[in-house]
């Protein structure tokens, strides 16, 4: 078999010595030469195949002995053996590859950002081995459920962190290897198959990225900790691992090492895995808009003509993080969640607060995608759990959940569903194995709630009025608990929403200034009514919303 030259490289500009050890050398050291560019390198003649290797290096990290030899995994490894932590190099035709997966759905049209309805899920807990609550779900289990998600109508999934991380089960917010997917979920080819199949169904894939910090097991911590990380975290109460230092610049090489490393990782995931968006975890703690701007610009450059979505976890949420003045397109909107949970839990109705939730432009956000709204996310107990803890149970629980879903799907912003929320999952939040219970769908109320979500999502993804920030609150009646608003665009697309936020049924109630005249469809009950003189007269049940479009 012919051999080809392959160059192993390790960036460690302040270190005095490094070696390569590998299965093809019987794990004997091969000294590496250091160039002026800060890279150690050695070239080996290797035939096509798979090889395992690691580096040894004289560490510059403050917590090791001076120039102590440490064995590390290649920080840029794209495959890692989980048992040994050896990097895996796969050569084909003399070139490094990740796997031999062939993409099938690159030509499929995908929804633009203003059309998104996102479904957040954790691969390990979403599906797989339902008979055993501790069996970890895999990429193939998500693939098996994609028809469910397509039938639900969502057009994007947001996957909790996928990068290789320590331990048997966790949420992935402590990455070790920034170029390697989590091995326990399946192979790199299976992850690509998942993303490819999503694209084939018109579903985009957003990945949760952890760029504030890494695991203490990351190779960078052993090479030269303070070259990539802060010696001390910014906030000891919110410190989840070594924090990347985006302020430090290597003046000799003219680079910011942490910025380069994370940018390389983002670009790699877009190129190799065809991801369609990134959630920036702990963006408030990153606290560097310049760095975030670089990440976003590089992501858009790599995605080329495809739409790419960026969203920040920024707590408390603020317009300052969002474009055009801020670096990121969208912000996770905890304010929406808290306002909705407070109201649905039975607190006194505050119409102004409800209007702020429906129309975030009142709070300074400028785009229809500036906020991502939700009733719950992975960091929160689901709505059913929160309401149940308030003693809201049985039929009332479903009534309020439906109202919350209706406001979520008609408010300005990108709606997001935390897995299982659409059929009333209520399992207690936990970072341990915590699978959603699919058997709930054997119950009629849960199936009815699921179908209610399907209806609302169907409207949300097909009516262009939701792609505009235009909102008109055309009628409000604080005494009756009625709030009405109109979503519309400049092309004439129009949706009118009537909310009875009170605990009283209202019979023969008049809604003046109704924005639609003539024949209308009401979506939640699938009925047709006639509106004349811009006056809607109808019965409105307690804690119920109705949604109208021109028939």
């Amino acid at each position: 078999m012919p051999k080809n030259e392959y160059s192993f490289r390790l960036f460690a500009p302040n270190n005095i010595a490094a070696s390569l050890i590998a299965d093809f050398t019987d794990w004997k050291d091969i000294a590496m030469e250091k160039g002026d560019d800060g890279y150690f390198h050695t070239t080996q003649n290797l035939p096509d195949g798979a090889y395992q290797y690691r580096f040894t290096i004289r560490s510059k990290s403050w917590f090791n002995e001076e120039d102590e030899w440490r064995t590390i995994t290649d920080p840029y490894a794209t495959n890692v053996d989980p048992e040994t932590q050896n990097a895996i190099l796969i050569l084909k035709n003399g070139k490094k590859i990740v796997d031999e997966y062939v993409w099938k759905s690159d030509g499929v049209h995908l929804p633009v950002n203003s059309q998104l309805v996102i479904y957040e899920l954790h691969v390990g807990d979403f599906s797989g081995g339902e008979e055993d609550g501790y069996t970890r779900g895999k990429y193939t289990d998500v693939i098996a459920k994609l028809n469910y998600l397509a039938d639900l109508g969502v057009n994007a999934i947001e996957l909790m962190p996928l990068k290789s991380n320590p331990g048997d089960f966790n949420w992935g917010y402590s990455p070790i290897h920034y170029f390697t997917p989590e091995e326990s979920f399946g192979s790199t080819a299976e992850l690509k198959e998942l993303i490819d199949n999503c694209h084939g169904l018109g579903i985009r894939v957003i990945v949760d990225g952890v760029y504030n910090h890494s695991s203490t097991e990351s190779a960078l911590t052993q090479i030269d900790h303070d070259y990539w990380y802060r010696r001390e975290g910014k906030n000891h109460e919110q410190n989840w691992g070594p924090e990347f230092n985006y302020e430090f610049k290597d003046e000799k090489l003219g680079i910011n090492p942490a910025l380069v490393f994370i940018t390389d990782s983002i670009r790699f995931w877009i190129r190799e895995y065809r991801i369609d968006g990134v959630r920036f975890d702990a963006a408030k703690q990153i606290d560097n808009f310049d760095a975030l701007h670089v990440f976003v610009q590089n992501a858009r450059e790599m995605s080329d003509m495809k739409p790419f979505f960026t969203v920040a976890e920024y707590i408390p949420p603020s317009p300052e993080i969002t474009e055009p003045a801020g670096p990121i397109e969208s912000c996770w909107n905890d304010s929406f969640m808290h306002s909705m949970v407070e109201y649905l839990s039975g607190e006194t109705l505050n119409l102004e607060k409800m209007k702020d939730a429906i129309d975030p432009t009142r709070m300074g956000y400028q785009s229809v995608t500036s906020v991502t709204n939700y009733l719950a996310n992975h960091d929160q107990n689901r709505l059913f759990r929160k309401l149940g803890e308030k003693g809201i149970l049985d039929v009332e629980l479903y009534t309020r959940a439906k109202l919350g879903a209706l406001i979520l799907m008609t408010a300005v912003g990108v709606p997001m569903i935390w897995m299982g929320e659409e059929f009333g999952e209520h399992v207690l939040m936990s970072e341990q194995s915590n699978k959603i219970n699919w058997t709930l769908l054997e119950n009629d109320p849960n199936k009815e709630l699921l179908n209610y979500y399907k209806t609302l999502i169907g409207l949300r993804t097909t009516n262009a009025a939701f792609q505009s920030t235009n909102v008109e609150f055309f009628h409000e009646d604080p005494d009756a608990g009625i709030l009405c608003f109109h979503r519309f665009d400049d092309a004439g697309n129009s949706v009118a929403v009537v909310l009875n936020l009170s605990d009283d049924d209202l019979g023969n109630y008049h809604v003046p200034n109704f924005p639609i005249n003539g024949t209308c469809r009401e979506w939640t009950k699938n009925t047709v009514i006639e509106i004349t003189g811009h006056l809607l007269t109808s019965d409105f049940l307690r804690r119920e919303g109705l949604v109208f479009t021109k028939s």
Side-chain angles (χ1 to χ4, degrees):
M1 182 179 293
K3 295 184 177 182
N4 296 279
E5 290 188 345
Y6 181 79
S7 180
F8 292 85
R9 288 159 55 85
L10 175 65
F11 184 64
N14 296 327
N15 301 67
I16 62 172
S19 299
L20 169 71
I21 56 175
D23 55 5
F24 54 83
T25 70
D26 293 328
W27 301 102
K28 296 175 182 176
D29 285 0
I30 297 176
M32 303 175 75
E33 296 182 9
K34 186 176 183 181
D36 293 338
D37 58 0
Y39 282 89
F40 288 90
H41 58 88
T42 181
T43 299
Q44 300 294 307
N45 290 312
L46 299 170
D48 286 353
Y51 304 94
Q52 295 198 14
Y53 70 97
R54 299 190 84 181
F55 295 122
T56 61
I57 190 164
R58 287 197 179 275
S59 173
K60 300 300 288 187
S61 297
W62 54 272
F63 46 78
N64 290 326
E65 296 293 329
E66 185 176 359
D67 294 329
E68 176 184 354
W69 282 103
R70 305 293 294 177
T71 302
I72 61 169
T73 307
D74 184 351
Y76 280 76
T78 55
N79 287 279
V80 173
D81 176 42
E83 297 299 322
T84 63
Q85 291 297 294
N86 295 332
I88 300 172
L89 168 67
I90 303 172
L91 292 177
K92 183 179 181 182
N93 299 324
K95 302 291 186 182
K96 177 181 177 179
I97 63 170
V98 174
D99 51 52
E100 298 191 66
Y101 186 81
V102 178
W103 294 86
K104 304 174 184 66
S105 303
D106 283 348
V108 176
H109 173 76
L110 296 172
V112 298
N113 294 350
S114 58
Q115 295 174 312
L116 295 181
V117 175
I118 300 172
Y119 191 92
E120 187 193 16
L121 68 88
H122 180 259
V123 172
D125 279 338
F126 179 60
S127 178
E130 270 70 29
E131 67 283 353
D132 179 359
Y134 294 96
T135 298
R136 191 170 201 173
K138 297 181 181 296
Y139 300 128
T140 51
D141 296 312
V142 181
I143 292 171
K145 283 286 188 183
L146 286 184
N147 285 337
Y148 166 84
L149 294 175
D151 186 54
L152 176 60
V154 297
N155 53 22
I157 59 173
E158 183 176 301
L159 299 172
M160 289 174 65
L162 296 181
K163 296 177 185 67
S164 179
N165 56 85
D168 293 332
F169 190 97
N170 61 61
W171 279 356
Y173 288 98
S174 189
I176 303 176
H177 307 300
Y178 272 75
F179 296 78
T180 306
E182 171 55 34
E183 304 88 352
S184 65
F185 290 158
S187 68
T188 58
E190 288 167 339
L191 173 55
K192 289 178 181 178
E193 184 183 5
L194 166 58
I195 295 170
D196 204 9
N197 286 3
C198 283
H199 289 169
L201 293 168
I203 297 173
R204 288 173 57 183
V205 179
I206 300 160
V207 173
D208 200 339
V210 183
Y211 306 123
N212 173 66
H213 59 277
S214 77
S215 166
T216 55
E217 298 177 34
S218 167
L220 301 182
T221 66
Q222 294 296 325
I223 297 171
D224 186 356
H225 181 282
D226 291 1
Y227 192 68
W228 284 277
Y229 301 99
R230 299 179 184 280
R231 175 70 66 93
E232 300 289 339
K234 289 184 177 181
N235 183 341
H236 291 292
E237 294 181 358
Q238 292 183 315
N239 185 278
W240 304 289
E243 294 178 4
F244 288 106
N245 186 351
Y246 296 118
E247 280 79 45
F248 169 72
K249 185 174 182 180
D250 183 328
E251 298 294 344
K252 180 181 177 181
L253 295 177
I255 63 167
N256 179 306
L259 194 69
V260 169
F261 179 75
I262 295 301
T263 299
D264 286 349
S265 173
I266 291 170
R267 292 173 70 94
F268 170 81
W269 278 82
I270 297 169
R271 180 182 70 250
E272 188 69 32
Y273 291 99
R274 310 285 212 274
I275 65 170
D276 309 292
V278 170
R279 172 191 180 264
F280 290 90
D281 178 67
K284 184 81 167 182
Q285 285 67 41
I286 291 174
D287 191 28
N288 188 315
F289 281 14
D290 289 339
L292 291 168
H293 181 76
V294 169
F295 299 153
V296 170
Q297 292 307 112
N298 272 271
R300 289 174 177 163
E301 177 183 300
M302 282 302 296
S303 62
D304 196 23
M305 300 301 292
K306 286 174 53 182
F308 198 87
F309 185 65
T310 58
V311 57
E313 179 195 36
Y314 197 79
I315 300 173
S318 169
E320 68 182 1
I321 189 69
T322 61
E323 296 172 327
I328 295 179
E329 180 172 356
S330 190
C331 177
W332 261 28
N333 192 8
D334 269 20
S335 295
F336 178 92
M337 175 188 65
H338 292 311
S339 294
M340 295 307 305
V341 171
E342 288 170 6
Y343 159 68
L344 294 170
S345 297
E347 295 194 15
T348 302
L349 172 63
N350 182 329
L351 280 186
E352 292 305 310
K353 197 171 185 178
M354 183 64 70
K355 287 158 73 174
D356 288 343
I358 292 167
D359 179 14
T361 65
R362 290 163 49 102
M363 308 300 291
Y365 296 96
Q366 295 193 32
S367 166
V368 72
T369 58
S370 289
V371 296
T372 295
N373 297 322
Y374 39 83
L375 299 172
N377 60 51
H378 68 266
D379 279 328
Q380 300 285 332
N381 275 319
R382 292 176 177 86
L383 181 64
F384 263 55
R385 167 69 58 168
K386 289 182 177 179
L387 297 187
E389 290 173 349
K390 296 283 189 178
I392 300 166
L393 304 167
D394 303 323
V395 174
E396 183 65 15
L397 185 55
Y398 290 90
T399 296
R400 299 195 189 194
K402 287 179 179 178
L403 181 55
L406 186 143
I407 297 172
L408 172 66
M409 290 299 163
T410 56
V412 175
V414 177
M416 186 181 78
I417 303 165
W418 170 225
M419 62 178 186
E421 191 83 45
E422 74 278 10
F423 58 80
E425 177 57 87
H426 53 267
V427 64
L428 187 68
M429 183 197 74
S430 170
E431 290 189 40
Q432 303 306 310
S433 185
N434 200 18
K435 291 186 157 181
I436 60 176
N437 181 9
W438 292 98
T439 64
L440 289 172
L441 285 171
E442 298 171 7
N443 305 321
D444 288 340
N446 299 85
K447 286 190 288 189
E448 184 182 336
L449 178 60
L450 174 64
N451 288 328
Y452 192 82
Y453 263 92
K454 288 181 182 179
T455 297
L456 293 171
I457 294 169
L459 171 63
R460 175 79 193 204
T461 55
T462 56
N463 194 305
F466 293 113
Q467 297 181 47
S468 167
T469 55
N470 294 336
V471 182
E472 176 196 11
F473 292 97
F474 62 88
H475 177 69
E476 53 187 280
D477 183 346
D479 294 334
I482 290 287
L483 180 64
C484 305
F485 62 95
H486 180 209
R487 297 289 308 273
F488 60 97
D489 66 11
D490 296 337
N493 296 291
S494 181
V495 179
V497 180
V498 178
L499 303 175
N500 180 1
L501 302 170
S502 77
D503 277 317
D504 299 315
D505 294 339
L506 300 175
N508 202 38
Y509 184 89
H510 301 299
V511 178
N513 306 313
F514 201 74
I516 305 173
N517 236 10
T519 305
C520 289
R521 175 186 176 186
E522 199 290 306
W523 280 71
T524 65
K525 296 180 170 61
N526 196 24
T527 58
V528 176
I529 64 170
E530 290 291 330
I531 306 287
T532 57
H534 293 282
L535 177 67
L536 169 64
T537 301
S538 184
D539 296 338
F540 299 104
L541 299 180
R542 57 180 295 280
R543 293 188 183 268
E544 181 182 67
L546 299 178
V547 185
F548 301 87
T549 61
K550 187 75 173 175
S551 180

